[in-house]
């Protein structure tokens, strides 16, 4: 967490998925950063995302081990229905069941004592 991302992590602690929005051109961006990549404005606010999206792309992590995660696991790039993308994992979903375009919804999980992460779960059963 830093000055630019504090609003995001404070939202995650409350079970909210907050996305940074440029006040000038209304472009969404994630991860949070000081300036708008489209119009270079420093002014921004945030919107509360619905938490609905779809897998845009993904990779399968095999090594090295990651604290709090059982390998292998999928790391997905989720396209939110609001129109920007966010990286996350899909706990409990075998990597071979992850598909591009799979509808997902956000959930929030405490993965360490003081670390809550937004995670993603399928909105439908994965196809075999
Ligand atoms: Zn902008």
């Amino acid at each position: 967490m830093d000055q630019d991302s504090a609003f995001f992590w404070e939202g995650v602690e409350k079970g909210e998925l907050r996305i940074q929005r440029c006040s000038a051109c209304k472009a969404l961006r994630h991860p949070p950063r000081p300036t708008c990549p489209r119009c270079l404005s420093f002014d921004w606010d945030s919107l509360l995302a619905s938490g609905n999206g779809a897998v845009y792309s993904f990779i399968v992590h095999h090594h090295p081990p990651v604290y709090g995660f059982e390998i292998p696991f999928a790391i997905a790039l989720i396209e939110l229905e609001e129109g920007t993308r966010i990286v996350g994992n899909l706990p409990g979903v075998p990597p071979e069941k992850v598909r591009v375009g799979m509808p997902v919804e956000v959930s929030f999980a405490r993965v360490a004592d003081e670390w809550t992460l937004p995670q993603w779960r399928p909105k439908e059963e994965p196809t075999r």
Side-chain angles (χ1 to χ4, degrees), residues 43-114:
D43 299 325
W44 60 272
D45 61 6
S46 66
L47 67 76
L48 185 58
S50 69
N52 295 312
V55 174
Y56 182 82
S57 183
F58 68 99
I59 57 119
V60 178
H61 181 92
H62 292 272
H63 189 79
V66 178
Y67 177 76
F69 294 86
E70 189 172 321
I71 54 173
F73 62 93
I75 301 171
L77 182 60
I78 306 298
E79 186 161 65
L80 301 178
E81 66 180 9
E82 288 82 2
T84 192
R85 298 175 189 148
I86 182 170
V87 172
N89 68 321
L90 298 143
V93 181
E96 66 273 15
K97 300 285 177 69
V98 179
R99 295 287 180 268
V100 170
M102 171 189 284
V104 293
E105 60 188 359
V106 75
S107 63
F108 297 91
R110 189 159 290 269
V111 297
D113 288 346
E114 297 183 5

Side-chain angles (χ1 to χ4, degrees), residues 21-27 29 35-41 43:
R21 176 178 52 196
C22 175
S23 298
C25 76
K26 305 300 181 192
R29 61 184 189 262
T35 58
C36 175
R38 183 188 287 174
C39 75
L40 305 181
S41 172
D43 299 325

